[in-house]
Amino acid sequence: MLIGLFQRQNEELASANERLTARVAELERRLGRNSGNSSVPPSSDAFGRPGKKPQARSGRGRGRQSGAGGSGLAMVEASDVTEDHVPVARTGCGNALSEGDSIGFERRQVRDVPLSTVEGTGHRARRCRCGCGTVGSAPMPEGVAGSPSSYGPDLRAPAVYLLVFQYIPVERTARLIKDVSGAEVSTGWVASLLPEAAGLVADSVNLIRALLVMGHVLHADGTTTRIGATRRRLHVACTDFRVFAVERCVSFVA
């Protein structure tokens, strides 16, 4: 009878030991995960960043190597605008110089962007009365909003670009537009551009999605991003020529 009891206890202990061994292995696996060997973000590294593996030295010094070609800003043949500068001082004989006295010149080119400031354009749709007594009204141009005052497409497009492609927050986008152009746009106006832009590209997005589904080889991946206090995962499906991305809320389990 005691032998049977000991056998049952041994079986229970063996089963418990197997479960605990598997549990310890799983915990060690989770503890060893970091941003360097898995897809978890760097902010989740519990014990600091993983050390970088030493790279094999090539024996070359840092910086541009001797004999390597340069990559400076090259001059172009014809500038958009050319300004001629004539010496203002008189010559030894006392006569003033003019451009007609030139025997050569030294060239320099400066590339810059014009100062960009917001400009307001007023639109007045006239109502005209014909000799027969009929009154006709001209429509507003296409692209002019129905509100009495609005911002045009040349200001709306850069705002969407800053939000979507450069990942600049709404408040900083509004501040950047104000600093660069002088337009005092509100954060509400900036945020309202995303749904509007999404509606304009909806047909293109659906076409890209259909072409990706029809592709023979498709790459899929995902990375994490933070929107406000919510952590989200950005899923990407793409080929060499097309990209489709969608954001989804994700919760991380340690």
Side-chain angles (χ1 to χ4, degrees):
M1 185 173 182
L2 290 175
I3 295 176
L5 178 61
F6 289 153
Q7 288 178 344
R8 287 195 300 273
Q9 289 179 346
N10 287 336
E11 292 175 357
E12 293 174 356
L13 290 173
S15 177
N17 181 63
E18 185 178 353
R19 292 196 303 271
L20 291 175
T21 301
R23 178 63 175 170
V24 169
E26 174 63 18
L27 292 176
E28 288 179 346
R29 184 189 68 82
R30 294 186 181 183
L31 188 61
R33 295 179 63 193
N34 54 55
S35 58
N37 58 17
S38 64
S39 60
V40 298
S43 58
S44 64
D45 292 339
F47 302 103
R49 295 183 178 179
K52 294 184 178 180
K53 296 181 179 180
Q55 297 181 354
R57 295 184 177 273
S58 62
R60 298 185 303 175
R62 293 186 177 181
R64 188 171 68 91
Q65 302 300 308
S66 177
S71 58
L73 184 61
M75 297 180 65
V76 296
E77 288 298 328
S79 303
D80 298 320
V81 177
T82 301
E83 297 182 1
D84 287 304
H85 308 281
V86 180
V88 295
R90 294 180 179 270
T91 61
C93 64
N95 294 327
L97 298 175
S98 65
E99 187 175 342
D101 299 316
S102 174
I103 59 173
F105 53 83
E106 182 181 1
R107 294 180 65 198
R108 293 287 189 277
Q109 288 182 344
V110 177
R111 289 180 174 86
D112 207 344
V113 294
L115 181 63
S116 177
T117 56
V118 64
E119 296 180 352
T121 301
H123 296 273
R124 297 186 295 187
R126 293 283 187 175
R127 294 188 299 274
C128 299
R129 179 179 287 108
C130 180
C132 65
T134 304
V135 176
S137 299
M140 284 293 178
E142 185 179 358
V144 176
S147 57
S149 183
S150 61
Y151 292 111
D154 290 342
L155 194 61
R156 303 161 80 90
V160 174
Y161 167 78
L162 294 173
L163 289 172
V164 177
F165 191 81
Q166 297 296 344
Y167 301 103
I168 299 180
V170 171
E171 185 175 357
R172 289 177 56 192
T173 297
R175 178 63 182 273
L176 191 153
I177 291 175
K178 177 182 177 181
D179 293 343
V180 172
S181 68
E184 298 190 10
V185 300
S186 65
T187 54
W189 176 82
V190 174
S192 69
L193 297 177
L194 288 181
E196 179 182 351
L200 293 174
V201 300
D203 293 340
S204 298
V205 171
N206 292 332
L207 176 60
I208 293 173
R209 182 188 301 170
L211 292 175
L212 288 175
V213 173
M214 297 170 59
H216 297 289
V217 179
L218 187 66
H219 169 74
D221 200 353
T223 185
T224 57
T225 183
R226 184 178 293 275
I227 301 178
T230 305
R231 184 171 295 175
R232 294 179 178 270
R233 180 171 290 276
L234 180 64
H235 295 277
V236 177
C238 63
T239 63
D240 291 341
F241 306 102
R242 306 176 184 91
V243 177
F244 178 76
V246 60
E247 288 182 358
R248 294 180 180 176
C249 184
V250 63
S251 58
F252 291 90
V253 180

